[in-house]
Amino acid sequence: MNIIFTMCFTGSILFLLYLIAVRIFKNSLSNRWKYIILKLVLFFFLTPLGFLKLILHQAPTQTDFILAGNIPIMVSTPHSTYTNSAYQINLTIVLIWIVMAIAAFVWQQLKYFRFKKLIQLSMTEITDLDIIDYVDHYRQTVRIKRKVRLYQSNCISPFTAGILSPLIVLPANLSSEKQRLILKHELTHIRRCDTLFLFLRHLVTCIYWFNPLVYLLELQLNKTVEASCDEIVTLGMNQKDRKNYASLIIDIAANDVQYRTTYASSFSNSSNGLKERMDLIMIPDKQKKHGKRLSVLLASCMVLCSSFTAFAYQSPTELDMVCNSSNNPLLNIGSSDTIVFQSGDFKLTNSSSPIFYDYQFTDTDGNIYKIDTSDRSEYAACNHDYVEGTISKHSKKSNGGCITKYYDAQRCSKCGKIILGSLIDTETHEVCPH
């Protein structure tokens, strides 16, 4: 979950910097560069840049490690997996997040299929050779390799849909000049793969449904994708042609059926913000030259600043432990407690190896064996295969306490013969806990 929050934080920082820049510089920024920055925001939301830290990060030298009890902890042993309360809470949050993200995605898919069914009932294929020739010529001019399907409808405003196999739907009964303007606009969407970025926008909204900024990002993208497309279409137009283009958008918006879908880019978009869009269309090209340089500079600075946040990602730390307890050893760790893991190789002691027998052998994998002290003749005939471990000798005192001594040892995995080594530790308890 940490990587999700890191991606969310990085994308949010870049988007906030974008909003601040738009607020300060307003129409001085190029709409095309606004759109590029917003696509970079999507990229930051969807790309785990925090993993770059793992690639560039060198392995640290072995040091002591302190783990606070208020962060998620999971300990996995050969016998079981143990988690603390913080981990269990974190797991619950993750499950809620996944369920909500899937529900949001399914809901949008259902809306898309409903929209698809609606347009299939109302549209017919365009057979006008003049329109088909114009589209083919424009495709070659702007180097669109994908085949574009053309349809017309009486009840829906112009829009583009589809990623790999795009289609354009035009209103019926429009003049040839208006059709060409609309086609130029929609083909620009296809050339830039805008429907793909609209889908990615939808994906970001589903994944980060808990972040209010993604809904504002959705509104900004809807507005900027059309404004940047207008900027390309009107490039080189005089004021009269710009006015005719703006009037066409107003006429389409006035008769628009407001039925939107995630995967379609609509010519008129919506009546909201229409005045701002008209004002942007009427700005002459010469007033936008300095805006392009400013946009490039701001985009570079914003991406650089926000990318540093990706290195805040902290990867999970893996520690080797041995635990044979049937109870959860993390259950009693509170949020104010800490666990200290010391570096180095340590022999098993009473804290990590429970006392099941008064005289027992514990191997390096944590397996515990009762030691048979009787004289066994089969030892001599065995081709021994020794494993390393420790022996614990536990004895109770008359006052209710106990003493446990730990020795280096080897045990034959075949016959059970023990080779006792040197004493390594002694534990004494006032009251025997075993």
Side-chain angles (χ1 to χ4, degrees):
M1 196 65 183
N2 286 347
I3 191 64
I4 294 295
F5 283 125
T6 303
M7 292 160 61
C8 181
F9 184 67
T10 305
S12 298
I13 289 295
L14 180 56
F15 183 54
L16 286 172
L17 291 174
Y18 166 83
L19 292 176
I20 293 171
V22 170
R23 182 77 174 180
I24 294 174
F25 298 101
K26 298 181 180 179
N27 292 338
S28 298
L29 296 176
S30 164
N31 284 297
R32 280 174 286 178
W33 275 94
K34 285 183 185 178
Y35 185 41
I36 290 173
I37 296 172
L38 290 177
K39 287 194 283 189
L40 287 172
V41 172
L42 292 178
F43 173 79
F44 275 38
F45 268 118
L46 295 171
T47 307
L49 295 178
F51 286 141
L52 290 176
K53 180 180 177 181
L54 304 183
I55 297 173
L56 300 174
H57 183 61
Q58 295 181 349
T61 57
Q62 200 173 30
T63 59
D64 292 352
F65 182 76
I66 300 177
L67 196 61
N70 60 349
I71 65 173
I73 306 171
M74 181 179 71
V75 174
S76 180
T77 73
H79 303 280
S80 186
T81 299
Y82 308 104
T83 60
N84 67 340
S85 57
Y87 185 92
Q88 294 167 6
I89 293 172
N90 190 69
L91 181 61
T92 303
I93 293 173
V94 169
L95 291 175
I96 294 173
W97 165 68
I98 292 174
V99 169
M100 292 295 292
I102 292 175
F105 185 81
V106 170
W107 173 251
Q108 289 292 344
Q109 289 296 113
L110 291 174
K111 287 175 63 178
Y112 168 71
F113 288 124
R114 184 182 172 192
F115 172 79
K116 185 176 179 181
K117 184 177 180 180
L118 173 66
I119 62 173
Q120 285 177 341
L121 294 174
S122 63
M123 68 185 189
T124 57
E125 188 173 1
I126 293 177
T127 57
D128 189 325
L129 294 179
D130 290 338
I131 296 177
I132 295 174
D133 289 343
Y134 176 79
V135 170
D136 289 339
H137 175 74
Y138 193 84
R139 280 177 54 220
Q140 293 177 3
T141 303
V142 297
R143 297 179 181 178
I144 298 175
K145 296 182 179 180
R146 291 165 292 168
K147 184 178 179 181
V148 179
R149 295 168 292 162
L150 300 173
Y151 297 90
Q152 63 182 8
S153 172
N154 290 319
C155 63
I156 298 177
S157 70
F159 72 89
T160 297
I163 299 173
L164 298 177
S165 181
L167 62 87
I168 298 174
V169 178
L170 299 175
N173 303 321
L174 284 180
S175 66
S176 176
E177 181 182 356
K178 291 180 179 180
Q179 284 181 335
R180 288 171 184 268
L181 284 174
I182 293 172
L183 286 169
K184 189 176 181 180
H185 179 100
E186 300 302 331
L187 287 167
T188 301
H189 282 309
I190 293 173
R191 178 175 64 84
R192 303 189 308 179
C193 298
D194 287 341
T195 49
L196 171 62
F197 290 105
L198 292 178
F199 171 75
L200 295 179
R201 171 211 63 187
H202 159 61
L203 204 59
V204 166
T205 306
C206 291
I207 295 173
Y208 303 102
W209 54 265
F210 54 86
N211 184 355
L213 285 177
V214 299
Y215 302 101
L216 185 56
L217 171 63
E218 186 174 20
L219 294 175
Q220 286 290 322
L221 265 169
N222 289 342
K223 181 174 68 173
T224 306
V225 69
E226 296 302 329
S228 61
C229 198
D230 293 336
E231 194 170 85
I232 294 173
V233 172
T234 59
L235 189 65
M237 284 187 179
N238 56 38
Q239 290 302 101
K240 181 180 178 181
D241 291 337
R242 288 174 182 271
K243 185 176 180 180
N244 291 335
Y245 179 72
S247 298
L248 176 60
I249 294 175
I250 294 173
D251 292 340
I252 295 294
N255 300 305
D256 189 12
V257 177
Q258 295 295 319
Y259 194 94
R260 303 293 168 208
T261 181
T262 301
Y263 313 107
S265 178
S266 178
F267 177 76
S268 61
N269 204 352
S270 70
S271 57
N272 298 329
L274 197 58
K275 183 181 183 303
E276 181 183 357
R277 187 176 174 185
M278 298 302 102
D279 292 339
L280 292 172
I281 289 173
M282 297 308 296
I283 297 176
D285 293 334
K286 62 181 180 181
Q287 294 184 18
K288 301 178 183 179
K289 291 182 179 179
H290 298 294
K292 182 179 179 180
R293 297 172 184 172
L294 178 63
S295 301
V296 174
L297 178 62
L298 284 175
S300 303
C301 292
M302 285 189 287
V303 170
L304 182 63
C305 291
S306 58
S307 61
F308 284 118
T309 61
F311 289 89
Y313 170 66
Q314 295 292 330
S315 61
T317 301
E318 294 184 3
L319 301 168
D320 292 329
M321 289 183 61
V322 177
C323 182
N324 293 292
S325 174
S326 59
N327 298 319
N328 189 343
L330 303 178
L331 194 61
N332 297 321
I333 299 175
S335 60
S336 59
D337 298 328
T338 58
I339 309 171
V340 179
F341 294 89
Q342 294 181 324
S343 61
D345 297 325
F346 296 92
K347 297 295 183 180
L348 292 174
T349 64
N350 185 46
S351 60
S352 59
S353 178
I355 301 298
F356 291 154
Y357 313 103
D358 287 338
Y359 194 23
Q360 67 181 34
F361 175 86
T362 305
D363 65 18
T364 54
D365 292 327
N367 300 311
I368 297 175
Y369 304 90
K370 184 178 180 180
I371 297 177
D372 186 0
T373 56
S374 61
D375 185 19
R376 298 176 62 177
S377 58
E378 65 266 25
Y379 287 170
C382 178
N383 184 15
H384 300 301
D385 182 14
Y386 290 104
V387 295
E388 298 290 335
T390 58
I391 280 181
S392 59
K393 292 183 177 181
H394 172 261
S395 58
K396 291 187 178 182
K397 297 181 179 179
S398 58
N399 61 359
C402 70
I403 183 170
T404 306
K405 295 184 178 181
Y406 296 91
Y407 299 84
D408 275 325
Q410 292 179 319
R411 178 183 181 273
C412 177
S413 61
K414 297 178 180 178
C415 67
K417 181 180 179 180
I418 296 294
I419 298 179
L420 188 65
S422 59
L423 179 69
I424 57 175
D425 193 17
T426 301
E427 285 186 358
T428 304
H429 296 276
E430 295 289 338
V431 178
C432 179
H434 306 112

